[in-house]
Amino acid sequence: VQLVDSGGGSVQVGVSLILSCLVSGSTTAAYPIGWFRLAPRKQREGFSAISRSFDTPLYSDSVKGRFTISSDNAKNTVYLHMCGLKPEDTAVYSCALKWYSGTYLAPGLYDYWGQGTQVTVSS
C-alpha cells in the first residue's frame, strides 16, 4: 500500500488550498483515511477522517468549519479542501490509511502514511 500526498505550498492568510492523497495497493472505498499534521514543536495532530463506517466525516475543533475532507473512490483519491487558512495551520500535512475501524484521529493507529506535504501560511 502506498499513499502519495500533494498540493501543499506557501500561501497568504485567508486563502484556500486543496491537498490530495492518492492511494495505491488498496482502496479508499474500503478503509478509513485520515489527515494529520505536524507543526514545529508540537505533537502530530489528527484532525479529519473519512470512512464508510460513518456518514459524516470527522473533524477536530481546530479545523471544523474551515476544512472539508472528501473522497473520489473512482480515482482512489482523498482530498482535503482547506479554507480560511491561518498561520497556526502551518505544518507538514500527511494522509494515512488504517485497516481497522475505530479511534480515527489517533495517529498511532494508522498503518500506512504518505510522505507529507508542507503547508506554510504567512500573514
Side-chain angles (χ1 to χ4, degrees), residues 8-78:
S10 296
V11 298
Q12 297 289 317
V13 168
V15 303
S16 299
L17 204 58
I18 299 176
L19 305 184
S20 300
C21 175
L22 174 62
V23 179
S24 59
S26 184
T27 170
T28 56
Y31 298 101
I33 302 289
W35 278 101
F36 302 82
R37 61 187 181 183
L38 182 61
R41 298 175 295 281
K42 292 187 177 180
Q43 290 189 332
R44 189 182 302 274
E45 175 194 11
F47 60 86
S48 186
I50 191 167
S51 170
R52 65 178 182 175
S53 298
F54 40 85
D55 295 329
T56 304
L58 302 180
Y59 300 98
S60 67
D61 288 341
S62 61
V63 305
K64 193 175 296 182
R66 298 189 300 123
F67 291 8
T68 302
I69 189 173
S70 61
S71 180
D72 185 338
N73 294 329
K75 296 182 178 179
N76 235 21
T77 301
V78 172

